[in-house]
Amino acid sequence: MTALTDLLPTLLGVGLLMLVTVGLLAVFRIPHRTAPALAILRGAVQLAVISLILGTVITSPVWVGAALLVMFSVAAVTAARRLGWSWGRLAVVGGSMAAGILVTLAIVFGTGAIALTPRYALAIGGIVIGNAMTIATLAGRHFAESVNERWDEVEAWLALGATRRQSTLELARRAVYSALIPSTDQTKTTGLVTLPG
């Protein structure tokens, strides 16, 4: 009973924040106003289940590797769905994410900056996978919006004989830059605005 009593303030706080969020989104007629509340509920259930699972696998490199593979798969599918699902898109998004994730983890663990233990591999791997998913989604969405908004310019390049890649390269560069802004700003303001957990 003590564990439930200790949990009540947290449940109350989360519940009130969900009500305020949904209420404000409803007042301003924002589409999908219940999405944040449903995401919180889903996340809570997922965290409860995953904490039970991870508590038993955290010491096994094989199981940690399997957990990271599941995390990556979910992240790649989620990003691909946000960009308009297709197997081809999943391949491109997954390949791009995998390249960034593998290079980052190889450097972090290869240099000895962080000890390569199952616990750290799971924690750091999860953070890097999550960031890669966010950046892939933001870059992909911004790129698609840019191509649609500037289609006349893209079409003009194509008419002049440019390839699809050449006609959209600058838009892709700007999309990547825009996608990196939230992570860059969060890193720049660490200790001033954001505090490490």
Side-chain angles (χ1 to χ4, degrees), residues 138-139 142 173-182:
L138 291 175
H142 186 74
R173 288 177 176 150
R174 289 180 186 174
V176 170
Y177 170 74
S178 293
L180 290 171
I181 289 173

Side-chain angles (χ1 to χ4, degrees), residues 2-134:
T2 309
L4 182 59
T5 307
D6 292 343
L7 206 58
L8 281 177
T10 301
L11 292 173
L12 179 63
V14 171
L16 288 172
L17 287 171
M18 284 173 40
L19 286 173
V20 167
T21 301
V22 171
L24 285 171
L25 294 174
V27 166
F28 291 103
R29 297 181 184 173
I30 305 298
H32 311 290
R33 58 187 64 105
T34 59
L38 294 174
I40 290 169
L41 293 173
R42 177 179 169 171
V45 170
Q46 289 172 181
L47 280 174
V49 171
I50 201 75
S51 67
L52 292 173
I53 295 169
L54 293 181
T56 59
V57 304
I58 194 100
T59 57
S60 167
V62 172
W63 285 110
V64 166
L68 286 170
L69 187 59
V70 169
M71 289 177 179
F72 173 77
S73 299
V74 170
V77 167
T78 300
R81 282 183 51 224
R82 289 284 183 196
L83 302 175
W85 172 259
S86 75
W87 287 105
R89 188 156 289 139
L90 176 61
V92 170
V93 169
S96 301
M97 287 174 57
I101 292 164
L102 291 174
V103 167
T104 302
L105 294 180
I107 291 171
V108 167
F109 292 121
T111 60
I114 298 175
L116 180 55
T117 65
R119 172 186 235 170
Y120 289 140
L122 186 64
I124 302 303
I127 291 167
V128 173
I129 290 168
N131 285 337
M133 176 184 66
T134 300

Side-chain angles (χ1 to χ4, degrees), residues 141-154 167-168 171-172:
R141 289 176 68 94
H142 186 74
F143 176 71
E145 290 168 2
S146 296
V147 169
N148 286 335
E149 289 172 5
R150 298 175 64 178
W151 179 247
D152 291 342
E153 181 181 325
V154 172
S167 65
T168 57
L171 300 176

